[in-house]
């Protein structure tokens, strides 16, 4: 779980000094890539949640509940982030990205744990390699909103843990106590969180060109 979640995210976050040195245009570019990554994660998470929900037993096989939980999670996160009004601060947005990615990584851990528990060692090993390579890009996306600030090392470590450790929990749950209905609901919450972060990143990209222009004018 650490190898799949925390290590690749931390490796991706090591690109932070390069992002700071590259300037605001590169930051907007990376944020746009992050937006695309999050959109992919949203579709992938919802598809997996719906597939798992259909495999639940009897009355628990309700795919419509996945959509309701995802929308409720998204609405709840929007309400929580807007209590003080305005857009999210850079560190808060980075934490929101890390949370959304972490909930998605929870689903990745569930997939790996259930594969090994069912005896499909080859599939589990393939998933470990694929998810590890993929999660490096997630670390880059987490630090992209922070290029205008100087976050502390403990703060960066906390973001890496928030995004990566859910993979550990998911792997254990998938290996020892996998239940389709709970897994589908967990992924639905993750999809709602990712949807909220997509909107926040989109708003940040809209503001960035104005910030760049103002800095150029003042210079």
């Amino acid at each position: 779980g650490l190898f799949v979640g925390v290590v690749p995210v931390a490796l991706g976050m090591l690109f932070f000094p390069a992002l700071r040195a590259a300037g605001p245009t590169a930051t907007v570019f990376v944020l746009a890539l992050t937006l695309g990554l999050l959109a992919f994660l949203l579709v992938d998470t919802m598809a997996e949640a719906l597939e798992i929900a259909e495999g639940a037993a009897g009355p628990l096989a309700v795919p419509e509940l996945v959509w309701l939980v995802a929308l409720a999670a998204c609405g709840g996160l929007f309400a929580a982030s807007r209590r003080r009004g305005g857009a999210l601060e850079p560190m808060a947005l980075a934490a929101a990205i890390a949370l959304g990615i972490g909930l998605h990584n929870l689903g990745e851990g569930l997939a790996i744990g259930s594969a090994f528990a069912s005896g499909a060692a080859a599939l589990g090993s393939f998933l470990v390699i694929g998810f590890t390579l993929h999660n490096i890009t997630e670390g880059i996306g987490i630090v992209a909103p922070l290029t205008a600030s100087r976050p502390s090392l403990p703060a960066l470590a906390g973001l890496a843990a928030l995004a990566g450790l859910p993979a550990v929990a998911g792997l254990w749950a998938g290996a020892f106590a996998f239940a389709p209905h709970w897994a589908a609901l967990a992924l639905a919450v993750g999809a709602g969180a990712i949807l909220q972060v997509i909107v926040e990143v989109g708003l940040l990209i809209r503001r960035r060109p104005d910030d760049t222009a103002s800095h150029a004018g003042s210079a």
Side-chain angles (χ1 to χ4, degrees), residues 13 16-17 19-20 27 30-31 89-95 97-98 139-152 155-157 159-160 204 208:
M13 293 174 70
F16 180 65
L19 289 177
R20 283 181 58 88
T27 300
V30 173
L31 285 172
E89 295 296 323
M91 180 55 72
L93 178 56
I97 294 174
I140 300 174
I142 291 171
V143 297
L146 302 176
T147 53
S149 58
R150 292 183 178 273
S152 64
L156 293 176
L159 291 174
L204 180 61
R208 281 283 175 154

Side-chain angles (χ1 to χ4, degrees), residues 66-154:
V66 171
W67 292 99
L68 291 175
V69 171
L71 292 175
C74 180
L77 289 170
F78 266 121
S81 65
R82 288 297 186 272
R83 283 182 300 178
R84 297 181 180 180
L88 291 179
E89 295 296 323
M91 180 55 72
L93 178 56
I97 294 174
L99 176 62
I101 289 173
L103 291 172
H104 175 80
N105 286 343
L106 175 67
E108 294 181 350
L110 288 170
I112 296 171
S114 59
F116 280 115
S118 62
L123 173 60
S125 301
F126 176 78
L127 291 176
V128 168
I129 296 172
F131 290 151
T132 299
L133 295 174
H134 165 69
N135 286 352
I136 294 176
T137 61
E138 296 176 349
I140 300 174
I142 291 171
V143 297
L146 302 176
T147 53
S149 58
R150 292 183 178 273
S152 64
L153 190 59

Side-chain angles (χ1 to χ4, degrees), residues 13 20 31 33 38 40 42 52-54 69 74 83 90 96 99 107 115 122 136 149 168 174-175 178 183 189 201:
M13 293 174 70
R20 283 181 58 88
L31 285 172
L33 289 179
L38 291 170
F40 166 76
L42 175 62
I52 292 176
E54 290 177 354
V69 171
C74 180
R83 283 182 300 178
L99 176 62
I136 294 176
S149 58
V168 180
F178 182 81
V189 172
V201 174

